[in-house]
């Protein structure tokens, strides 16, 4: 048998161990190269890979910055001497709208992405996101009254929803398979970096009159840079080819445009590699019958349903294992442990932000070497242990404050090694190309909705059940999530997006 040839008798295995069959029930051998994964490493230059990652990642930076800045802005805007407004005397509901306005907008953005993502394409969706970021930041910062401020928060949030949907898709579809995991995980690093910058901005502006305006207004220049950068970057070659397959563009024109885009994105001058990869993408699109545009119900059928169970399940467990709630207790835990300097909420936030940044950096370095599954299984196991420690502390060992500190730090570190970066990475990889825009929008919607659910339900549950019982519930959920990861989440390290679709779905 010639080198690289495929044994026609070799079974084609899916993720669940079944033979790949045609609709007639016979084993189909036409996709052998993708099934066995015999491909050379994709060519790219590091210099060319930076900007196609950096400008989409600024969307994550702005998301994180908004979280950090809002913590200080709510203090500033309620101060009679520093708010600089006559409407500073806000009720708890009104403050709640300011805090959650961007989250509500993100939910709206996720719904919008379901309908417009495939029409706009990844690049133009990110451009729209940057415009919404800019308009939202300016509306909030320059708001003459409270209603305009809330509108600005919702507009900014819609930008978050679109950015968190399109950025991982654009990075995944344009990056070489060898560095795809590293780059998408690095987007999570940018979110955490944005949080730190937001906390730093809060500290810098909180003592100024109308400091909250500066906190929110600082997002505007970054949004402008993001928009200009995305305007300069080329479109996703995979999206261009999908448009051609579906009859929205001429195939030869799309192939030539996709070739130029791929060469620019990878920093290569050899057309032969670009043409080879384009032919592989087109072959897989033709094989899987992606000539028709995706309908609403197709998202809940076949391959996409399998990907949706994996992706939506992963981001659901990412939130319901208590990530927003554990951080809620950070300041209290440090205070009871006797760290008086850390009892200030801002100092605690900065300290935990640095830890999150460091651990996310570790995940970025090792994700394409170790793989996705080992990081998820190891990290979530550590989260389960930390939740058990926190539950035990609040139930039985309230005098052992070191147990709570260890539990808190272990939780934060393990989350950033696993669910934090790997959740966003996997949902950008596993959906079929034709359904990727809609499938990913549902996964992002589940992420923001479950985040909102945990955030809003935490206080009443804590008052009814107590912290010890609540952390015990999170511990049980973490164990369930481990079982889910073990049986349902595949390893995608080193595979092209086409190979993921062929081998796993």
């Amino acid at each position: 048998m010639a080198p690289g040839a495929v044994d026609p008798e070799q079974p084609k295995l899916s993720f669940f161990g079944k033979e790949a069959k045609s609709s007639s029930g016979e084993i189909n051998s036409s996709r052998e190269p993708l099934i066995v994964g015999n491909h050379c490493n994709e060519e790219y230059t590091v210099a060319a890979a930076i900007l196609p990652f950096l400008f989409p990642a600024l969307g994550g930076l702005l998301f994180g910055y908004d979280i950090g800045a809002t913590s200080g802005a709510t203090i500033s805007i309620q101060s009679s001497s520093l708010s600089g407004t006559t409407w500073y005397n806000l009720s708890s509901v009104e403050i709640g709208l300011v805090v959650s306005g961007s989250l509500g907008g993100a939910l709206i953005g996720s719904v919008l992405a379901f309908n417009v993502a495939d029409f706009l394409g990844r690049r133009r969706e990110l451009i729209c996101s940057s415009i919404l970021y800019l308009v939202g930041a300016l509306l909030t910062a320059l708001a003459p009254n409270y209603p305009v401020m809330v509108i600005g928060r919702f507009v900014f949030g819609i930008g978050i929803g679109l950015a968190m949907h399109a950025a991982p898709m654009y990075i995944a579809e344009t990056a070489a398979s060898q560095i795809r995991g590293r780059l998408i995980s690095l987007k999570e690093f940018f979110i955490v970096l944005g949080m730190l910058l937001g906390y730093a901005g809060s500290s810098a502006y909180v003592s100024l009159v109308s400091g909250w305006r500066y906190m929110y207004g600082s997002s505007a220049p970054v949004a402008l840079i993001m928009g200009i950068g995305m305007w300069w970057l080329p479109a996703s070659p995979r999206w261009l080819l999908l448009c051609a397959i579906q009859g929205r563009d001429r195939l030869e024109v799309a192939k030539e445009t996709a070739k130029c885009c791929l060469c620019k994105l990878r920093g290569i001058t050899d057309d032969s590699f670009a043409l080879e990869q384009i032919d592989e993408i087109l072959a897989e699109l033709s094989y899987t019958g992606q000539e028709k545009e995706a309908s609403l119900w197709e998202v809940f059928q076949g391959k996409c349903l399998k990907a949706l169970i994996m992706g939506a399940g992963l981001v659901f467990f990412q939130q319901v294992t208590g990530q927003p709630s554990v951080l809620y207790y950070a300041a209290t835990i440090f205070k009871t442990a006797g760290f008086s300097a850390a009892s200030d909420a801002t100092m605690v936030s900065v300290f935990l932000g640095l830890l999150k940044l460091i651990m996310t950096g570790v995940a970025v370095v090792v994700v394409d070497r170790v793989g996705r599954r080992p990081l998820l299984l190891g990290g979530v196991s550590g989260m389960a242990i930390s939740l058990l420690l926190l539950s035990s502390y609040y139930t039985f060992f309230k005098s052992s404050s070191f147990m709570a500190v260890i539990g808190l730090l272990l939780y934060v570190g393990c989350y950033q090694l696993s669910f934090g970066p790997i959740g966003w990475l996997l949902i950008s990889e596993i959906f079929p190309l034709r359904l990727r825009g809609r499938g990913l929008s549902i996964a992002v919607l589940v992420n923001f909705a479950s985040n909102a659910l945990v955030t809003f339900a935490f206080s009443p549950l804590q008052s009814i059940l107590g912290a010890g019982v609540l952390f015990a519930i999170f511990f049980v959920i973490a164990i369930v999530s481990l079982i889910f990861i073990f049986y349902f989440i595949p390893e995608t390290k080193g595979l092209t997006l086409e190979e993921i679709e062929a081998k796993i779905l």
Side-chain angles (χ1 to χ4, degrees):
M1 185 178 293
V6 179
D7 184 351
E9 299 302 319
Q10 180 180 347
K12 286 78 179 173
L13 298 179
S14 73
F15 174 59
F16 294 95
K18 298 177 182 177
E19 292 181 335
K21 296 183 179 182
S22 67
S23 58
S24 63
E26 297 178 354
I27 295 175
N28 196 314
S29 61
S30 63
R31 66 194 299 176
E32 289 171 350
L34 292 182
I35 288 294
V36 299
N38 290 336
H39 70 91
C40 299
N41 282 343
E42 299 177 62
E43 295 181 25
Y44 71 96
T45 63
V46 174
I50 292 173
L51 294 182
F53 155 78
L54 178 61
F55 291 122
L58 289 179
L61 183 84
L62 288 169
F63 175 36
Y65 178 84
D66 183 71
I67 295 172
T70 298
S71 66
T74 53
I75 297 172
S76 173
I77 199 170
Q78 293 181 93
S79 169
S80 58
S81 58
L82 297 176
S83 70
T85 69
T86 58
W87 38 275
Y88 61 86
N89 190 22
L90 301 176
S91 68
S92 58
V93 174
E94 289 172 325
I95 287 296
L97 278 175
V98 173
V99 174
S100 63
S102 61
L103 182 58
L107 289 169
I108 296 170
S110 302
V111 174
L112 286 175
F114 185 88
N115 294 305
V116 304
D118 286 331
F119 170 74
L120 290 175
R122 292 63 165 127
R123 170 178 165 270
R124 284 186 289 187
E125 187 179 353
L126 283 165
I127 292 173
C128 289
S129 169
S130 67
I131 294 171
L132 289 165
Y133 271 142
L134 179 62
V135 172
L138 292 177
L139 275 176
T140 306
L142 303 175
N145 51 52
Y146 175 77
V148 173
M149 182 187 187
V150 172
I151 291 171
R153 298 290 293 138
F154 271 89
V155 171
F156 194 91
I158 295 172
I160 291 174
L162 293 180
M164 292 300 96
H165 173 261
M169 272 202 302
Y170 185 87
I171 297 169
E173 292 185 0
T174 58
S177 58
Q178 305 97 292
I179 59 171
R180 185 179 64 241
R182 194 173 304 162
L183 292 181
I184 299 176
S185 300
L186 197 57
K187 183 188 74 68
E188 172 71 14
F189 183 90
F190 268 59
I191 295 175
V192 178
L193 178 61
M195 291 181 192
L196 272 178
L197 292 175
Y199 294 137
S202 296
S203 299
Y205 297 131
V206 74
S207 59
L208 299 179
V209 175
S210 297
W212 60 273
R213 296 186 186 274
Y214 298 106
M215 295 176 200
Y216 285 127
S218 297
S219 299
V222 181
L224 187 61
I225 293 170
M226 175 187 169
I228 294 171
M230 290 310 307
W231 184 270
W232 175 81
L233 285 174
S236 161
R238 286 179 168 91
W239 178 77
L240 291 170
L241 295 173
L242 177 64
C243 290
I245 284 288
Q246 294 178 346
R248 287 182 278 165
D249 197 1
R250 290 174 52 199
L251 182 59
E252 291 304 317
V253 173
K255 284 183 67 174
E256 182 62 28
T257 306
K259 182 193 74 174
C260 296
C261 290
L262 192 60
C263 289
K264 183 176 180 179
L265 289 163
R266 301 290 174 81
I268 56 177
T269 55
D270 182 10
D271 289 355
S272 60
F273 162 74
L275 288 171
E276 181 182 343
Q277 186 165 14
I278 285 167
D279 287 339
E280 182 180 293
I281 296 168
L282 284 172
E284 180 66 8
L285 285 171
S286 300
Y287 174 86
T288 52
Q290 307 204 37
E291 293 84 358
K292 297 183 295 182
E293 291 189 38
S295 66
L296 170 63
W297 299 114
E298 281 184 88
V299 179
F300 304 99
Q301 298 174 5
K303 287 185 174 185
C304 195
L305 177 60
K306 189 184 294 184
L308 197 59
I309 291 170
M310 296 176 194
L314 191 63
V315 295
F316 175 76
F317 282 119
Q318 181 190 59
Q319 298 300 327
V320 298
T321 44
Q323 192 263 151
S325 306
V326 172
L327 295 181
Y328 176 89
Y329 273 92
T332 304
I333 288 172
F334 275 97
K335 188 174 182 179
T336 57
F339 295 99
S340 57
S343 61
D344 177 76
T346 303
M347 292 296 295
V348 170
S349 299
V350 171
F351 176 74
L352 289 179
L354 286 170
L355 176 61
K356 286 164 71 74
L357 198 66
I358 292 168
M359 298 309 293
T360 307
V362 173
V364 168
V365 172
V366 303
V367 65
D368 281 320
R369 300 176 189 173
V370 175
R372 286 66 159 150
R373 274 174 60 85
L375 286 178
L376 277 173
L377 291 170
V380 177
S381 296
M383 287 171 59
I385 293 171
S386 67
L387 288 166
L388 187 60
L389 286 174
L390 288 168
S391 177
S392 300
Y393 166 72
Y394 279 103
T395 306
F396 305 111
F397 306 106
K398 286 196 174 181
S399 60
S400 304
S401 55
F402 70 93
M403 180 184 293
V405 174
I406 292 171
L408 176 66
L409 298 181
L410 180 63
Y411 184 95
V412 171
C414 289
Y415 178 87
Q416 292 306 136
L417 269 178
S418 55
F419 272 144
I422 308 302
W424 290 105
L425 167 57
L426 277 169
I427 64 172
S428 68
E429 294 180 320
I430 59 177
F431 287 100
L433 177 57
R434 185 167 69 100
L435 295 156
R436 187 169 294 144
R438 291 191 165 184
L440 193 61
S441 69
I442 294 175
V444 173
L445 181 62
V446 169
N447 178 276
F448 285 121
S450 53
N451 185 319
L453 174 67
V454 173
T455 301
F456 295 142
F458 175 76
S459 291
L461 285 175
Q462 189 270 338
S463 62
I464 295 170
L465 302 174
V469 174
L470 194 55
F471 283 125
I473 292 172
F474 287 143
F475 165 74
V476 173
I477 296 173
I479 297 298
V480 175
S481 70
L482 269 175
I483 297 170
F484 174 82
I485 292 165
F486 185 82
Y487 285 104
F488 289 97
I489 301 301
E491 181 56 72
T492 58
K493 178 185 71 172
L495 299 175
T496 67
L497 296 180
E498 288 67 45
E499 287 171 339
I500 291 170
E501 181 173 349
K503 295 182 70 176
I504 294 170
L505 302 178

